[in-house]
Amino acid sequence: MIYYTQIDSPVDTITLTSDGAALTGVYMNEHKHAVLFADEWIRDDQAAPFPEAKRQLEEYFAGARTEFDLPLAPSGTPFQQTVWSTLREIPYGETITYGALAARLGNPNASRAVGLANGRNPISIIVPCHRVIGANGKLVGYGGGLGCKEILLATEKQHPQ
């Protein structure tokens, strides 16, 4: 069973998905790799962990939260899972290049594969794929759009911890 809810945010309307126990997705309306609104999905604003996820996202956008503490269940390959886990280690307000992220994973030549896995992250914001930038320091590749990525990074710079 897949549950969903939607919340308004400074970046866009965000759709949260859940298996009833953990978050399985956090998507913007124009999310590049989102699979949204299948017929069998059930809207339930109170399904776990939606109330807590909403609260934590509101705190994040207000600058009062730098880390999320939510049950997560992203679906992906073992390599994607490793990349997404490593993304959660990037400190609030900081950025890292795809190459540096690949090096952290033990393979500095895997920046393309890391970029592809980063782009498939189903739990945006909470798993901070927006903190990964191009080798030249420019903002590149964000599933929710570069405008959303800019807002997320600006939010973190506006509220340093």
Side-chain angles (χ1 to χ4, degrees):
M1 188 75 51
I2 297 176
Y3 300 95
Y4 78 96
T5 190
Q6 293 184 303
I7 61 171
D8 290 325
S9 81
V11 293
D12 199 353
T13 298
I14 297 174
T15 299
L16 306 175
T17 60
S18 166
D19 61 8
L23 279 180
T24 57
V26 176
Y27 303 105
M28 273 55 92
N29 276 342
E30 301 299 320
H31 208 102
K32 188 174 183 180
H33 297 291
V35 178
L36 294 179
F37 305 112
D39 289 339
E40 64 273 6
W41 287 20
I42 298 172
R43 177 149 190 165
D44 183 349
D45 298 339
Q46 297 305 309
F50 293 154
E52 182 62 17
K54 289 178 188 181
R55 184 181 70 77
Q56 289 188 27
L57 283 163
E58 288 170 359
E59 290 173 352
Y60 168 81
F61 285 113
R65 175 171 291 277
T66 61
E67 295 180 11
F68 293 93
D69 181 24
L70 295 164
L72 306 179
S75 179
T77 68
F79 179 75
Q80 289 171 330
Q81 296 284 349
T82 300
V83 171
W84 302 335
S85 176
T86 305
L87 290 173
R88 296 193 74 196
E89 298 170 8
I90 304 169
Y92 176 92
E94 295 184 21
T95 58
I96 188 173
T97 66
Y98 291 98
L101 186 57
R104 279 192 188 181
L105 293 168
N107 188 349
N109 296 322
S111 59
R112 278 184 93 98
V114 165
L116 290 171
N118 192 58
R120 294 285 184 173
N121 171 24
I123 304 180
S124 60
I125 304 171
I126 294 168
V127 176
C129 53
H130 62 276
R131 296 181 188 152
V132 185
I133 59 173
N136 60 3
K138 296 201 182 229
L139 302 185
V140 295
Y142 187 65
L146 289 182
C148 289
K149 186 171 189 167
E150 287 180 52
I151 292 169
L152 294 170
L153 292 173
T155 296
E156 293 183 11
K157 290 202 184 317
Q158 181 182 1
H159 302 285
Q161 299 297 312

